[in-house]
Amino acid sequence: MICPNCRSKNIGMIGPAQYYCWDCFIELSVQNNMLHLHEVEMDGSLSSLDDLFSDDERRVER
């Protein structure tokens, strides 16, 4: 998997269908073959970054 944000391959698995990019510090989850990207805020909450990427950029090929 390649991070759609920074193009890094430094992705770790943190749960079932949940991943974390160690280079740009965003959380990625896969649901219905689509990536959902979130920024982890200082208080631990997540802010969606999906609107920054097109559906084609977020589609997961399996």
Side-chain angles (χ1 to χ4, degrees), residues 15-32:
Q18 292 181 320
Y19 305 90
Y20 188 79
C21 178
W22 290 101
D23 289 336
C24 68
F25 313 111
I26 64 169
E27 191 172 306
L28 306 100
S29 58
V30 179
Q31 198 172 41
N32 298 327

Side-chain angles (χ1 to χ4, degrees), residues 25-46:
F25 313 111
I26 64 169
E27 191 172 306
L28 306 100
S29 58
V30 179
Q31 198 172 41
N32 298 327
N33 292 331
M34 290 294 282
L35 273 177
H36 298 280
L37 299 94
H38 296 90
E39 179 178 25
V40 181
E41 300 293 341
M42 294 295 284
D43 65 358
S45 64
L46 299 176

Side-chain angles (χ1 to χ4, degrees), residues 4 9 28 44 47 50 56 59:
K9 291 183 181 180
L28 306 100
S47 296
D50 288 352
D56 287 338
R59 190 164 286 117

